[in-house]
């Protein structure tokens, strides 16, 4: 039962809300007005939509498998115990860690009651 509730809350409810919002004209400044299927008919006639859909498929079918293949090749290259492998692993993994540490330090500074911007 909790899994069913979580599925409804995290998947079906946003899906239904998004579909309901797609049936309206809404510009975030005024009230939403009902548009019906007009938004979808305009979308199907838009050439930019088809170009962006094609670009999304190109990314999904070419870029993602290439990144996985490169990551796998890199992992296999760094697997054996050789001289300099630890340094190479550190140099490859460090750029993925640094932004998280920087964000943590930034929020630590912003939320500091004494030395923060509102302290």
């Amino acid at each position: 039962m909790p899994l069913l509730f979580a599925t409804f809350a995290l998947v079906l409810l946003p899906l239904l809300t998004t579909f309901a919002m797609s049936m309206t004209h809404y510009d975030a400044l005024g009230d939403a007005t009902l548009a019906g299927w007009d938004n979808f008919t305009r979308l199907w006639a838009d050439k930019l939509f088809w170009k962006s859909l094609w670009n999304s498929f190109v990314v999904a079918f070419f870029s993602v498998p290439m990144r996985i293949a490169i990551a796998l090749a890199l992992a296999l290259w760094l697997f054996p115990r050789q001289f300099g492998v630890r340094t190479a692993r550190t140099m490859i993994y460090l750029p993925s860690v640094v932004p998280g540490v920087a964000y943590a330090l930034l929020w630590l500074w912003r939320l500091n009651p004494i030395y923060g911007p509102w302290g």
Side-chain angles (χ1 to χ4, degrees):
M1 190 67 165
L3 183 60
L4 186 63
F5 177 73
T7 302
F8 178 75
L10 297 174
V11 176
L12 295 177
L13 192 62
L15 180 72
L16 294 173
T17 306
T18 303
F19 181 72
M21 288 177 65
S22 70
M23 294 290 209
T24 62
H25 290 294
Y26 182 65
D27 60 359
L29 297 176
D31 293 332
T33 57
L34 186 63
W37 294 100
D38 183 48
N39 290 338
F40 291 104
T41 56
R42 287 186 324 165
L43 183 68
W44 287 100
D46 191 8
K47 288 184 179 182
L48 186 61
F49 167 72
W50 293 106
K51 183 163 180 71
S52 64
L53 189 65
W54 174 253
N55 290 340
S56 297
F57 282 130
V58 167
V59 168
F61 289 117
F62 293 111
S63 176
V64 173
M66 285 298 289
R67 287 180 183 218
I68 291 173
I70 290 170
L72 180 62
L74 195 58
L76 290 173
W77 175 62
L78 293 175
F79 180 71
R81 300 250 181 227
Q82 296 177 12
F83 178 74
V85 169
R86 287 185 180 180
T87 305
R89 286 180 188 163
T90 303
M91 289 173 53
I92 290 170
Y93 187 65
L94 197 60
S96 67
V97 175
V98 170
V101 173
Y103 294 145
L105 290 174
L106 180 69
W107 280 105
L108 184 68
W109 172 74
R110 288 190 66 163
L111 298 175
N112 192 328
I114 298 171
Y115 299 110
W118 298 286

